[in-house]
């Protein structure tokens, strides 16, 4: 039947090179195609400008070409799938590494951002153990932030009840929560308790007019920087008063002991100005000093009168 199918050399090479990609020219392509055993001998002939083919050979070459295309297409698809899978795998790995890094940093904002990226994973990543661990950590961080906020508020208010409540709440967390603010809150509770001890003690010492107790507690108040507390101001005023009373009564006692009329007058004047004469605690001491003063004054008057009578040689007056 002859060779009904004819193709130009260049057209034949371009069309069927896919069958043997390693072929470098038309001769090597034809040689490899015929040596493959799929074409019957004599069904392909080379002309000066054309390649002559039997119909059956042409059909076989077309089938071989289609098969080669399918093989190459599968290879391309495999590489594309591998590329897509690798890219997705890297993206997933980056997301998971980001979540792990955020968990390690315990930064709530970073962890929230990392968890948002997990929505890009299949099922939103909810099937992964890491997702559950991260969710639990987010809840824990939120609780810790809430407790720290409560502690800061309690510290700012200097409320002992609020401080103890927030500290007890933190201590009840499991696993235990350690934070510098916790130590600061505990230190403030101790400071408040120390201030309360001083305040209560000062009230009692002032009520009892206990000068030694007031001085001791005021020293503690100074160490605690409690100068602006009302009880401290009142105690300082009372201390000054008691010290003045003590020194005034001591001067009065010395004047009485020395029976020095001038000193006795001055001491009684100071006591009178301070209202000690009307104070039941000191009334007896002041009254005794006044009686002594009157006695001294009477003796002084009698002595003066006698001296005058002797000087005037007034026998009757003597």
């Amino acid at each position: 039947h002859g060779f009904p199918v004819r193709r130009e050399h260049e057209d034949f090479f371009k069309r069927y090179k896919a069958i043997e990609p390693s072929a470098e020219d038309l001769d090597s392509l034809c040689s490899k195609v015929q040596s493959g055993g799929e074409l019957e001998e004599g069904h392909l002939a080379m002309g000066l400008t054309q390649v002559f083919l039997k119909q059956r050979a042409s059909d076989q070459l077309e089938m071989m070409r289609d098969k080669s295309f399918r093989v190459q297409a599968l290879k391309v698809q495999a590489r594309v799938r591998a590329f897509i899978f690798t890219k997705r795998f890297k993206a997933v790995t980056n997301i998971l590494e980001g979540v792990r890094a955020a968990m390690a940093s315990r930064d709530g904002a970073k962890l929230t951002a990392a968890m948002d990226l997990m929505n890009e994973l299949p099922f939103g990543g909810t099937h992964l153990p890491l997702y559950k661990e991260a969710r639990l950590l987010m809840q824990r961080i939120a609780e810790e932030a809430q407790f720290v906020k409560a502690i800061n508020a309690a510290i700012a208010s200097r409320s002992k009840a609020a401080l103890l409540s927030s500290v007890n709440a933190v201590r009840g967390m499991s696993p235990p929560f350690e934070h510098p603010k916790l130590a600061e809150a505990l230190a403030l509770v101790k400071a408040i308790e120390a201030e309360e001890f001083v305040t209560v003690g000062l009230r009692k010492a002032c009520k009892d007019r206990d000068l030694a107790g007031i001085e001791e507690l005021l020293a503690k108040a100074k160490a605690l920087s409690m100068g602006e507390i009302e009880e401290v101001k009142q105690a300082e005023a009372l201390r000054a008063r008691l010290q003045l009373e003590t020194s005034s009564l001591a001067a009065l006692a010395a004047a009485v002991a020395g029976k020095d009329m001038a000193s006795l007058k001055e001491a009684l004047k100071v006591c009178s100005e301070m209202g000690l004469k009307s104070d039941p605690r000191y009334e007896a001491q002041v009254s005794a000093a006044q009686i002594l003063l009157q006695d001294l004054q009477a003796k002084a008057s009698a002595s003066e009168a006698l001296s005058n009578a002797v000087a005037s040689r007034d026998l009757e007056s003597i």
Side-chain angles (χ1 to χ4, degrees):
H1 300 286
F3 296 92
V5 180
R6 301 176 184 183
R7 291 187 180 278
E8 297 293 331
H9 286 181
E10 184 177 358
D11 178 49
F12 183 90
F13 183 74
K14 287 181 179 180
R15 185 169 183 80
Y16 298 116
K17 177 175 170 55
I19 298 174
E20 292 291 343
S22 61
E24 296 180 357
D25 52 32
L26 180 63
D27 290 335
S28 62
L29 175 60
C30 291
S31 175
K32 289 181 178 181
V33 166
Q34 292 184 93
S35 64
E38 296 190 28
L39 295 182
E40 294 181 18
E41 189 176 352
H43 282 210
L44 182 149
M46 291 281 291
L48 293 176
T49 60
Q50 292 181 331
V51 178
F52 300 92
L53 298 165
K54 297 283 188 179
Q55 186 62 50
R56 179 177 176 80
S58 176
D59 294 340
Q60 287 176 326
L61 285 173
E62 289 297 323
M63 287 189 293
M64 292 168 67
R65 179 173 178 269
D66 290 342
K67 181 179 178 181
S68 179
F69 279 158
R70 285 195 299 271
V71 171
Q72 295 302 324
L74 290 174
K75 289 182 180 179
V76 171
Q77 288 175 359
R79 291 189 177 182
V80 170
R81 289 192 187 100
F83 172 77
I84 293 173
F85 177 80
T86 300
K87 188 175 181 180
R88 287 179 178 173
F89 179 77
K90 288 182 178 179
V92 170
T93 301
N94 290 337
I95 290 173
L96 297 180
E97 288 178 354
V99 172
R100 291 190 183 97
M103 290 175 68
S105 70
R106 292 181 62 84
D107 185 317
K110 290 181 179 179
L111 185 54
T112 299
M115 289 297 289
D116 289 341
L117 293 176
M118 288 193 79
N119 291 326
E120 299 178 11
L121 304 181
F123 309 106
T126 56
H127 61 295
L128 298 173
L130 182 64
Y131 178 91
K132 298 175 182 178
E133 293 174 11
R135 281 294 178 193
L136 288 174
L137 181 57
M138 286 180 67
Q139 294 176 3
R140 171 72 181 202
I141 291 174
E143 290 176 1
E144 291 177 358
Q146 186 176 3
F147 282 129
V148 171
K149 183 179 179 181
I151 289 176
N152 283 331
I155 290 173
S157 68
R158 285 182 61 86
S159 168
K160 180 180 174 182
L163 284 165
L164 289 174
S165 176
S166 59
V167 167
N168 289 333
V170 170
R171 284 176 170 172
M173 295 181 70
S174 180
F177 175 44
E178 298 296 334
H179 194 277
K181 285 292 181 180
L182 184 60
E184 183 179 345
L186 290 171
L188 183 55
V189 168
K190 289 184 178 180
I192 292 173
E193 289 176 344
E195 291 175 3
E196 289 175 344
F197 174 80
V198 171
T199 302
V200 172
L202 282 175
R203 290 192 192 121
K204 185 178 185 305
C206 288
K207 182 180 179 182
D208 297 340
R209 296 174 65 85
D210 179 3
L211 180 58
I214 289 174
E215 289 180 337
E216 180 183 352
L217 290 167
L218 282 176
K220 292 181 179 179
K222 183 178 180 181
L224 293 171
S225 301
M226 294 174 63
E228 298 303 315
I229 304 297
E230 187 62 30
E231 286 82 358
V232 174
K233 293 180 179 179
Q234 292 175 0
E236 287 174 340
L238 181 57
R239 176 179 63 178
R241 168 74 184 192
L242 291 175
Q243 288 174 340
L244 185 57
E245 288 179 2
T246 300
S247 62
S248 299
L249 291 171
L252 181 62
V256 168
K259 295 184 179 182
D260 181 354
M261 190 165 59
S263 298
L264 196 54
K265 282 183 179 180
E266 181 63 28
L268 282 170
K269 180 183 177 182
V270 172
C271 289
S272 178
E273 290 174 350
M274 293 181 64
L276 298 183
K277 182 179 178 180
S278 59
D279 191 325
R281 290 182 293 264
Y282 313 120
E283 184 178 359
Q285 184 179 353
V286 174
S287 296
Q290 286 179 324
I291 292 171
L292 177 61
L293 177 61
Q294 291 172 359
D295 185 49
L296 291 174
Q297 287 174 334
K299 289 180 179 180
S301 296
S303 177
E304 183 180 359
L306 181 60
S307 296
N308 291 335
V310 170
S312 63
R313 299 177 68 84
D314 184 350
L315 181 62
E316 184 179 350
S317 296
I318 294 172

